Amino acid sequence: MSKKISIAIDAMGGDNSPSKTIEGVKYFLNKYKSQSDFVLNLFGKEEEIKKKLKDFNISTNSINIINSDRTVSDEETPLTAVKNSKNTSMWNCIKHQLDGKSDISLSAGNTGVLLVISRMILKMMNEVNKPALAGLWPNQNGMNVVLDLGANIECNDQNLVDFAELGSALFKSLFPNEKPKVSLLNVGSEEIKGTEMLKTAYKRLKDLSNEDNFIFKGYIEGNNIMSGDSNVIVTDGFTGNIALKTAEGTAKFITKNLKKTLTENILSKISLIFSYFSLRKFRDKLDPRKYNGAIFLGLNGPVVKSHGGIDSIGFFYSIDLCYKIVKGDLMSQIRNNLKHSKID
């Protein structure tokens, strides 16, 4: 009998927890009710978790509860995390993974603290200098992996090469039937554009493209990120975070104003009836809950950060992401990719 996928979940992190996190667990269990290849390890205040499991009528057959009386507050800073976060639900969640009892960790808690304690407990992979924060974005043909989204403000060409290998490995673990197509985010698509760091990374990625880990597509501009021509977009954390916030703001602006326009008078409301299914499909495509879950890459084990303000459906998608990452053997994909990314 093969080993079950084991997911460590900080049940107390984020807004409206543990109600949100436990309801997300319910959605996950409903989706995979015919499967028996996983176990969910819930960390937090045991009595509260048990009460929520009972409230949502959730069977505990695939669930372990590990009591943690303390939680990480939203006001906690990364600088004080070392002293104040030990033995919290977040800390114990990551420690469970270090001890080999879980394959991946998930939390909707404080992002900075999660990154600090993940690095402290799991440590960086020897082949990687900096971790990357990767996210999933929709594109015309399916899905993009975009990184770094804010873990590193400053990067060098080696970091960008590492991010390309890490992002390609993540893409292969999630979409095993597709080929990773890597692009560097830049101010232009011409080879002469960009900083010297980008130009150096460009040359190295072009050479590594021959290793068959990914297809290097060159530079990509911001307006083409969602075109589908590439599916792994690489940049530094400063630029990536700005791109992420811009994309989120644009999506909110479009959906908010589209709804306003379609309900402002009787004629538009009538037209809404006839276009309901098309608009619903459009809304679902832009639903941020479906892309919830940023992944810390470069550590000796994957850690997923759910948005703190997301609802239970969004949290379900982050659990689902964890399941797919482990099932796709992400860490083996990463180790295989990183064999080729260093300068001789």
Side-chain angles (χ1 to χ4, degrees):
M1 182 173 162
S2 59
K3 179 180 178 290
K4 289 188 176 183
I5 293 171
S6 184
I7 303 173
I9 300 174
D10 172 13
M12 311 304 292
D15 301 341
N16 196 30
S17 292
S19 182
K20 167 183 71 181
T21 54
I22 301 304
E23 188 173 13
V25 165
K26 178 180 180 178
Y27 293 138
F28 178 82
L29 293 174
N30 286 342
K31 178 179 178 179
Y32 293 102
K33 57 187 175 184
S34 63
Q35 304 283 8
S36 58
D37 63 345
F38 64 87
V39 60
L40 304 181
N41 304 298
L42 306 182
F43 291 81
K45 297 177 181 179
E46 186 172 6
E47 293 306 313
E48 287 188 38
I49 292 174
K50 284 182 176 179
K51 182 179 183 304
K52 291 300 177 183
L53 289 172
K54 185 177 180 180
D55 290 344
F56 290 114
N57 194 28
I58 298 173
S59 168
T60 58
N61 290 341
S62 300
I63 292 175
N64 292 322
I65 302 172
I66 298 91
N67 185 57
S68 300
D69 289 326
R70 299 179 59 226
T71 60
V72 172
S73 71
D74 291 336
E75 290 72 35
E76 194 78 65
T77 68
L79 292 176
T80 59
V82 178
K83 181 176 68 174
N84 297 338
S85 299
K86 289 184 179 179
N87 296 319
T88 60
S89 56
M90 182 187 288
W91 179 284
N92 291 339
C93 187
I94 307 296
K95 182 65 166 55
H96 202 256
Q97 186 177 346
L98 176 69
D99 294 340
K101 299 175 183 177
S102 291
D103 302 302
I104 192 168
S105 298
L106 167 64
S107 176
N110 187 308
T111 303
V113 175
L114 180 62
L115 179 57
V116 167
I117 67 174
S118 295
R119 287 191 67 168
M120 182 187 307
I121 294 174
L122 295 175
K123 311 296 184 185
M124 294 291 301
M125 298 181 73
N126 292 332
E127 300 89 347
V128 180
N129 295 323
K130 292 184 176 182
L133 186 61
L136 301 179
W137 292 13
N139 67 35
Q140 291 285 3
N141 301 323
M143 198 75 72
N144 283 338
V145 169
V146 186
L147 69 167
D148 177 31
L149 294 179
N152 309 282
I153 299 301
E154 296 182 358
C155 296
N156 58 31
D157 59 283
Q158 180 61 58
N159 300 142
L160 296 181
V161 171
D162 288 346
F163 296 167
E165 297 285 18
L166 293 168
S168 298
L170 176 60
F171 187 87
K172 285 189 286 188
S173 71
L174 294 173
F175 311 104
N177 297 322
E178 297 184 47
K179 185 74 175 179
K181 294 177 288 186
V182 172
S183 286
L184 279 172
L185 187 59
N186 198 3
V187 295
S189 58
E190 301 88 346
E191 198 168 336
I192 61 171
K193 293 285 184 73
T195 63
E196 290 304 313
M197 176 192 71
L198 279 171
K199 292 175 183 177
T200 302
Y202 181 103
K203 292 175 182 176
R204 294 185 59 196
L205 289 172
K206 191 174 181 179
D207 292 338
L208 285 169
S209 187
N210 297 326
E211 297 287 350
D212 205 36
N213 290 336
F214 55 79
I215 299 170
F216 183 54
K217 302 286 288 185
Y219 293 133
I220 191 170
E221 296 179 79
N223 60 330
N224 287 320
I225 289 177
M226 297 181 183
S227 67
D229 294 333
S230 300
N231 47 41
V232 179
I233 314 299
V234 176
T235 187
D236 62 86
F238 182 84
T239 307
N241 191 265
I242 291 175
L244 172 65
K245 299 297 173 54
T246 303
E248 289 177 341
T250 302
K252 287 181 181 178
F253 176 83
I254 292 172
T255 52
K256 181 178 180 180
N257 281 277
L258 183 61
K259 181 179 180 181
K260 181 180 178 182
T261 301
L262 291 171
T263 57
E264 62 184 3
N265 58 55
I266 187 65
L267 289 177
S268 60
K269 288 179 180 179
I270 292 172
S271 69
L272 179 60
I273 296 173
F274 294 102
S275 56
Y276 173 77
F277 291 105
S278 295
L279 289 169
R280 183 176 178 179
K281 186 176 180 181
F282 173 79
R283 183 196 65 186
D284 290 345
K285 183 76 172 178
L286 293 181
D287 188 347
R289 298 177 300 182
K290 289 188 173 183
Y291 315 108
N292 180 48
I295 307 98
F296 293 144
L297 300 174
L299 306 173
N300 287 304
V303 175
V304 173
K305 169 65 175 72
S306 170
H307 195 290
I310 205 75
D311 64 11
S312 57
I313 295 175
F315 196 77
F316 148 70
Y317 277 107
S318 63
I319 304 174
D320 194 42
L321 176 63
C322 290
Y323 177 77
K324 291 174 179 176
I325 284 174
V326 178
K327 204 170 184 68
D329 202 6
L330 171 62
M331 293 309 296
S332 292
Q333 300 275 14
I334 288 176
R335 284 188 286 269
N336 180 67
N337 276 19
L338 290 175
K339 292 176 183 176
H340 310 289
S341 65
K342 296 301 177 183
I343 299 174
D344 294 331

